[in-house]
Amino acid sequence: MMLLRRLPRWIFLLPFLAVLAACTTVGPDYRVPDEAVVKQEKAGAEFVSAKEPIYVPDDLPRDWWHMYEQTTLNELINKALAANTNLRIATANLARSRAILEEARTMTDPIFDLGATPTYGINATKYGAAREHNHWFYSMGAGMSYQLDLFGKLARAIEAATADMEATRAAYDLMRITVIADTTRAYLDVCSSGHQIDVARHSVDLQEKFVNTTERLASGGRATALEVSRTRAQLEQLRAAVPPLVAQQRTAVYQLAVLTGELPDTLTDKVGQCRAIPALTRPIPVGDGAALLKRRPDIREAERALAAATARIGVATAELYPDISLGLTLGSTGTFSDWGSSNFFRWGVGPLISWTLPATGPARARIKQAEAATAAALAYFDGTVLRALKETESALTTYARALDRNAALKEARDQSALASRQAHMLYEYGRTDFLTTLDADRTLADFESRLAESEAQLARNQVELFLALGGGWDPAATEEKPETETAPAITEAEPVAETAAETETTPEEPAAPAP
C-alpha cells in the first residue's frame, strides 16, 4: 500500500493508453478498389474462346498432368518439385519473407535491457576533488520500455509485412506451376522428337525402296541414269532431316534432367527412347474467368503487393505523429562497500515522447511516395488481370486452331500416301512418267514431316493452355500458415485468392481430344 501511495497519479492512466493504442490506426484500410479490373463483371465470365466442343466448363484439376496417364511423367514432376533449383530458390525466399514478418511482429514486444559497470577510481561528487583515495564503484540497472502504437504505425508495418509474405508465397506458387509446365513440356518434346525421328526414318526407308526400284528399271533399260541420280538426291535430302531431330531430342532430355535437379545426361536411358506423343482423349476442363482469377498465382501476387503498398501509406502517415513509449528503470550506483544500501537504489517509470519537429514536410512527402506506389501497384494488378485473361483466351484459341490444322494435315497426308502408291504402281507399269512419281514421293514426305511437327506443336499448345489456366497450384504444397497470419482481404465479390477449403475436392480428370 505504501508503494502504491508513492506512485505518480498519471501512472493509473496506462491501461487507458493501452486501450487507445489498440484502437487508433491511421491510413486507409485495405480493400480491393472498386475501379479495379478484377471487379468488372465480365472479368469473371465464361471464356469467349471456350465454346469449342473440345472444352468443358468443369473445374481444372490441380494435377492436370495425370490426364496424360504417363507414369514416367508423374515421377519426373514429383522429382522436379522436390529438387528443382528455381523452386528451391523460391522456397528460400518464402522462408526469408516469413522471417521478416516475424521480425515485424516483434516490434510490439516490450524491450528489456540489463547493464552493469564496475570502475576503479575517485568519485569527486561524493568525496571531493581533493581526496585521493581510490575505490571500486559500480553502476547496475535494468530497464523495460514498451512503445505505445497510438497511431497504428506498428500495426500498419505488420500489415505490410504480412501482405509481402503472402505475395512471396504466391510467387512460390507461380514458380511451382511453371516448373510443372516446363517439366511436362520437356517430356513431351522428348517424345515428340522421337516420333518425328521415326517419321523421318520411315520416309528414308520408302525413298530407299524407290531408289532400288529405279535402279532395277534402269538396269532393264526402262529408266535413265538421270532418274537414278534424282532419286538418290532426294534420299540424301530426307536423311539430312534426321540429325537435327536427334539433336532436338537430346536437348530436350538435357533440359528435363536439369529441371529435375540432375546432371544433363542422367535421364537419357530412362526417357530418351520415348517415341509416342502422350495424347489427351477427352475435352479439357477450363472453368471460367472467376475461377481463373482465384487460381492464377501471379494475380494473387499482384493483389497482395497492392495490399502491402496500401498499408505503407499508414506507416508513412503515422510519421506525422509522435512516438510514445512507456519506460520502467531499476538500478543502483555506489561503492562496493555500500552494496545493498537503500540510499543508492534508484527507480523510475514514465512515458518517453519523441517527436521530430518540424516533421510535416518530409513526412508528407513520404505519404505522397506511398500513395504513388499504391497507384502503381493498382495499375500492375490491373495489368496482371488483363494479361491473364488475354493469355488464357489466346491459348484457348491457339489450341483449337492447332487441332483444326492437325486434322487438315492428316487428311493431306492420307491423300498424299494414296497418290504415292498409285504413282508407283503406274510407274512400274509404264503408265506415268518418273517425275510424277518423284513429285508424289516428295509431297508425301513433306506432309509426313509437317504432320509430325504439327503433333509436336499441339502437345506444346496443350501445356501452354494448362499454364495459362494456372493449373498446378496446390495450397497444401506451400508451408502451413502461422495461426496468427491474416488472410488476404478478398470477398466472394473479389475473386482473387482461393482458400484451401474451396479447392479441397479435385474433380474427375477429363482430357482433350487427341491430335
Side-chain angles (χ1 to χ4, degrees), residues 114-448:
L114 297 172
T117 306
T119 57
Y120 182 77
I122 295 176
N123 189 338
T125 301
K126 181 176 179 180
Y127 295 101
R131 190 160 184 174
E132 297 181 358
H133 292 90
N134 295 321
H135 296 271
W136 277 100
F137 298 90
Y138 73 91
S139 177
M140 58 184 300
M144 181 195 75
S145 63
Y146 175 77
Q147 184 171 353
L148 295 177
D149 194 20
L150 295 178
F151 307 103
K153 179 179 179 179
L154 301 184
R156 292 302 189 195
I158 294 173
E159 183 181 339
T162 301
D164 284 338
M165 187 276 295
E166 291 165 345
T168 305
R169 186 170 61 213
Y172 169 90
D173 295 334
L174 179 59
M175 180 55 66
R176 186 178 190 273
I177 70 172
T178 301
V179 168
I180 291 172
D182 288 346
T183 303
T184 304
R185 185 187 297 109
Y187 178 75
L188 295 181
D189 284 347
V190 171
C191 298
S192 300
S193 299
H195 174 65
Q196 290 177 275
I197 290 171
D198 286 348
V199 169
R201 286 174 175 169
H202 177 66
S203 297
V204 169
D205 293 340
L206 292 178
Q207 186 62 23
E208 284 180 340
K209 292 179 181 179
F210 187 35
V211 170
N212 293 335
T213 299
T214 305
E215 290 177 341
R216 177 172 54 82
L217 294 175
S219 63
R222 296 177 53 193
T224 65
L226 176 60
E227 292 172 343
V228 173
S229 298
R230 285 183 170 180
T231 58
R232 287 190 173 278
Q234 184 161 313
L235 173 62
E236 295 306 320
Q237 181 181 0
L238 294 174
R239 281 176 175 165
V242 177
L245 295 174
V246 174
Q248 179 178 301
Q249 186 187 47
R250 290 181 180 177
T251 301
V253 172
Y254 300 154
Q255 172 70 5
L256 187 60
V258 172
L259 284 168
T260 56
E262 298 283 357
L263 295 175
D265 198 36
T266 305
L267 299 179
T268 300
D269 295 335
K270 183 175 182 179
V271 300
Q273 308 306 316
C274 183
R275 290 291 185 271
I277 305 176
L280 304 177
T281 57
R282 296 170 60 188
I284 297 178
V286 297
D288 56 15
L292 175 74
L293 298 178
K294 291 181 180 180
R295 186 170 53 239
R296 289 254 312 207
D298 54 342
I299 294 178
R300 288 185 283 114
E301 181 183 8
E303 186 272 336
R304 291 289 81 201
L306 174 59
T310 304
R312 289 190 173 92
I313 296 177
V315 175
T317 304
E319 296 290 342
L320 293 172
Y321 303 94
D323 293 332
I324 302 177
S325 299
L326 294 179
L328 172 65
T329 60
L330 298 172
S332 178
T333 302
T335 62
F336 278 98
S337 61
D338 297 322
W339 178 273
S341 174
S342 61
N343 294 332
F344 295 91
F345 177 76
R346 69 179 187 277
W347 72 277
V349 60
L352 174 62
I353 302 177
S354 175
W355 195 356
T356 303
L357 295 175
T360 57
R364 294 192 183 281
R366 285 190 287 270
I367 293 173
K368 291 180 180 179
Q369 295 173 28
E371 290 173 343
T374 302
L378 174 59
Y380 183 79
F381 180 36
D382 287 343
T384 303
V385 172
L386 293 173
R387 184 170 58 254
L389 294 173
K390 182 266 295 182
E391 289 175 356
T392 304
E393 293 284 5
S394 299
L396 290 168
T397 300
T398 300
Y399 180 60
R401 301 291 74 80
L403 279 174
D404 293 342
R405 179 176 183 269
N406 182 261
L409 286 173
K410 281 184 179 179
E411 181 65 22
R413 186 275 315 272
D414 294 342
Q415 293 299 322
S416 297
L418 176 61
S420 177
R421 290 193 299 270
Q422 293 172 342
H424 276 273
M425 185 180 299
L426 294 173
Y427 178 66
E428 290 189 26
Y429 287 97
R431 302 290 299 275
T432 190
D433 58 13
F434 168 78
L435 291 179
T436 299
T437 307
L438 186 66
D439 182 66
D441 284 348
R442 184 183 296 112
T443 301
L444 174 60
D446 178 59
F447 278 116
E448 288 279 9

